[in-house]
Amino acid sequence: MFDCNYFWRAVSIWNDGSLRPCCHYDAFRDKSIDNRTLDDDNIQNQSSLQKTRQTVLDGNIPTGCNICETLEKNGVSRSPRKRGYNNSKEYLKTYQAPTDKEKQVLVERNNIEHMNIDLGNTCNYMCVICNPGASHLIAKEQGRKDLSNSSWGDNEEKILSFIRKAENLKSVAIAGGEPFYNINMLNKVLEALMLVKDKCRLHITTNGSKVTTETANLIKQFRRVQIAISVDGTGRYNDFQRWNSNWKDIEKNITNFKEVFGNDVDLEINATISAITLPDLPKLIKWADDNPAIDWMHPSFLVWPDHLQCSILKPEVLQSVSNEIKQIDQSVTKRIIGQQGLTYITDYLENAKSTSEYRKEFDQHFNSLKELRQNFDVYKAFPDLQNNLM
């Protein structure tokens, strides 16, 4: 069975209020995901979640699970489904896997231990790896009026009611859009979670461009908090992939986050590694280790869209980066990414199968962005890239 504890103990809320098993689930491939009005606040049994569970129970792989499927084919032993929704040492001490009795199409509310909550597509960035469903500025750029301001709509109160009643939540991950630019919605969710704040592990993903004192005070009430700042590379690598960002501002903001939260939160770097940013990964690891504000770093390899995966790079490029990372002092990699993180990186780079299948799509993607954005030329920004692609 293609099993995963997300199916039985988690719910993920997308920016438009639709539901899926986890934040990694690819609803662009699974057309059964919808945004129908929910009948009540038992959102853990919304129709598309039931369909996913039934697919698993029938011995098949759900369409939207292609991210884990792809990573595992590329030799990654700790894909999201194998890591699970909470891999902290504290949690794993008492963790027991879902029993066969739990693995039913319909699950109880108290079975739900984890939630991924995306607050809408309000965002001040236009990342090249992103989409209009997660950035209202990209939606505007593409003329997508239907996604000009994505939100939970009529489902909002039912979802908030579920959050208030989910008494067994042990971890919650909040993202956007950009959560700190959708402050009204973020505060609503934090207030709805107050009943479980003493036992809930809170994880917020942000681009690191803004934080308010009011929201910081709400966040600091939770027993354990991790703030993950999305930084994909240093300097031009970050600024190009995360369009509208400014590297110098990001560095200042990371220091500001640490000053605002102090020791009440763990501050991590959440790096999405693409064909654009991979060559800078060794430098990013060293930079993170040198920054006293950063507690650790979590790199992940992009799987969607296909044409931005690292596998479109030549094998010698993947191997060169792997070798360079292995040569970094072990004290650095142990502190900032840990042995599991290092294994994840090297397993991927040494097992990924380079392909030219998506090269045409890569050029089409950046040619279209070049027409839309001023001074935006991927080959001008990275002169070596053209020769490094398959």
Side-chain angles (χ1 to χ4, degrees):
M1 181 187 290
F2 192 82
D3 206 358
C4 172
N5 60 12
Y6 281 102
F7 297 140
W8 323 107
R9 292 183 180 172
V11 172
S12 183
I13 302 164
W14 183 237
N15 288 320
D16 62 1
S18 60
L19 305 176
R20 55 203 70 185
C22 75
C23 64
H24 309 282
Y25 197 83
D26 189 348
F28 295 97
R29 293 177 187 262
D30 185 352
K31 304 303 181 184
S32 71
I33 298 294
D34 55 42
N35 187 27
R36 295 183 305 171
T37 300
L38 302 175
D39 294 330
D40 54 37
D41 58 11
N42 287 300
I43 68 172
Q44 79 280 5
N45 288 323
Q46 193 255 7
S47 60
S48 59
L49 296 181
Q50 292 186 46
K51 180 174 180 282
T52 300
R53 295 178 192 132
Q54 187 63 63
T55 299
V56 174
L57 292 171
D58 290 341
N60 300 312
I61 301 175
T63 307
C65 290
N66 62 293
I67 286 180
C68 286
E69 191 179 11
T70 300
L71 286 172
E72 289 167 26
K73 284 180 179 178
N74 282 331
V76 174
S77 59
R78 286 176 55 77
S79 64
R81 80 178 180 103
K82 291 185 177 180
R83 292 198 308 269
Y85 51 76
N86 190 337
N87 61 353
S88 66
K89 291 180 180 179
E90 179 185 23
Y91 177 74
L92 292 176
K93 285 179 181 178
T94 58
Y95 174 76
Q96 293 182 343
T99 63
D100 289 341
K101 187 176 181 180
E102 280 184 75
K103 296 175 184 178
Q104 304 294 327
V105 172
L106 297 176
V107 301
E108 299 293 328
R109 180 190 286 118
N110 280 344
N111 283 27
I112 304 302
E113 296 184 343
H114 174 79
M115 291 187 73
N116 284 101
I117 304 174
D118 292 328
L119 302 179
N121 71 341
T122 301
C123 188
N124 56 325
Y125 285 0
M126 303 167 73
C127 303
V128 300
I129 59 175
C130 198
N131 61 79
S135 169
H136 79 287
L137 292 180
I138 294 178
K140 182 179 179 180
E141 180 181 63
Q142 295 183 3
R144 293 287 302 273
K145 292 183 179 179
D146 58 320
L147 292 173
S148 60
N149 186 15
S150 185
S151 68
W152 298 349
D154 293 338
N155 292 338
E156 180 179 314
E157 187 45 49
K158 293 184 179 69
I159 292 171
L160 289 173
S161 175
F162 173 87
I163 294 172
R164 296 186 194 103
K165 294 178 180 179
E167 298 177 356
N168 202 34
L169 282 176
K170 293 180 173 64
S171 65
V172 173
I174 298 175
E178 169 46 45
F180 291 108
Y181 266 81
N182 195 352
I183 209 71
N184 181 52
M185 198 65 208
L186 176 57
N187 288 350
K188 282 184 181 181
V189 169
L190 292 172
E191 288 165 359
L193 288 166
M194 281 296 133
L195 287 177
V196 294
K197 64 182 176 62
D198 294 328
K199 61 180 180 179
C200 186
R201 179 175 177 246
L202 184 64
H203 187 282
I204 300 179
T205 299
T206 171
N207 62 31
S209 58
K210 180 181 181 181
V211 65
T212 66
T213 302
E214 177 190 0
T215 305
N217 288 338
L218 280 173
I219 290 170
K220 288 192 287 186
Q221 293 184 49
F222 287 79
R223 184 181 61 84
R224 185 178 178 191
V225 181
Q226 292 173 306
I227 303 288
I229 300 180
S230 298
V231 176
D232 301 336
T234 63
R236 63 193 172 109
Y237 288 92
N238 187 76
D239 290 353
F240 190 90
Q241 180 150 300
R242 295 197 169 268
W243 189 249
N244 275 358
S245 69
N246 181 283
W247 176 246
K248 290 183 178 178
D249 289 342
I250 291 296
E251 288 193 295
K252 292 177 183 176
N253 289 340
I254 288 173
T255 300
N256 181 48
F257 265 72
K258 197 63 177 179
E259 290 174 351
V260 169
F261 288 106
N263 294 324
D264 293 316
V265 307
D266 294 326
L267 198 62
E268 68 180 74
I269 295 299
N270 186 24
T272 301
I273 309 303
S274 72
I276 300 295
T277 61
L278 179 64
D280 191 59
L281 180 54
K283 185 177 179 181
L284 180 65
I285 292 172
K286 294 175 185 176
W287 167 83
D289 183 66
D290 287 338
N291 193 320
I294 297 168
D295 294 297
W296 72 297
M297 173 181 168
H298 175 65
S300 60
F301 288 99
L302 179 143
V303 174
W304 186 93
D306 296 321
H307 56 271
L308 293 179
Q309 291 184 43
C310 296
S311 57
I312 70 167
L313 293 167
K314 293 177 179 178
E316 56 265 33
V317 177
L318 302 180
Q319 189 61 55
S320 174
V321 174
S322 179
N323 291 341
E324 194 174 345
I325 289 173
K326 287 178 182 178
Q327 290 169 9
I328 297 174
D329 191 290
Q330 288 186 0
S331 64
V332 172
T333 53
K334 183 177 181 180
R335 183 191 93 80
I336 205 66
I337 58 176
Q339 184 57 50
Q340 290 182 341
L342 181 61
T343 301
Y344 166 77
I345 293 170
T346 54
D347 279 357
Y348 179 92
L349 293 177
E350 293 179 5
N351 290 285
K353 297 173 177 60
S354 295
T355 176
S356 60
E357 182 180 357
Y358 308 110
R359 175 62 190 274
K360 184 177 180 181
E361 291 179 58
F362 180 93
D363 286 330
Q364 288 174 340
H365 178 71
F366 285 105
N367 284 336
S368 64
L369 289 179
K370 186 177 179 180
E371 293 178 4
L372 293 167
R373 302 178 185 180
Q374 190 176 8
N375 300 320
F376 192 87
D377 187 326
V378 67
Y379 294 127
K380 186 176 180 180
F382 307 103
D384 295 334
L385 180 60
Q386 198 154 14
N387 290 330
N388 289 339
L389 293 173
M390 290 289 289

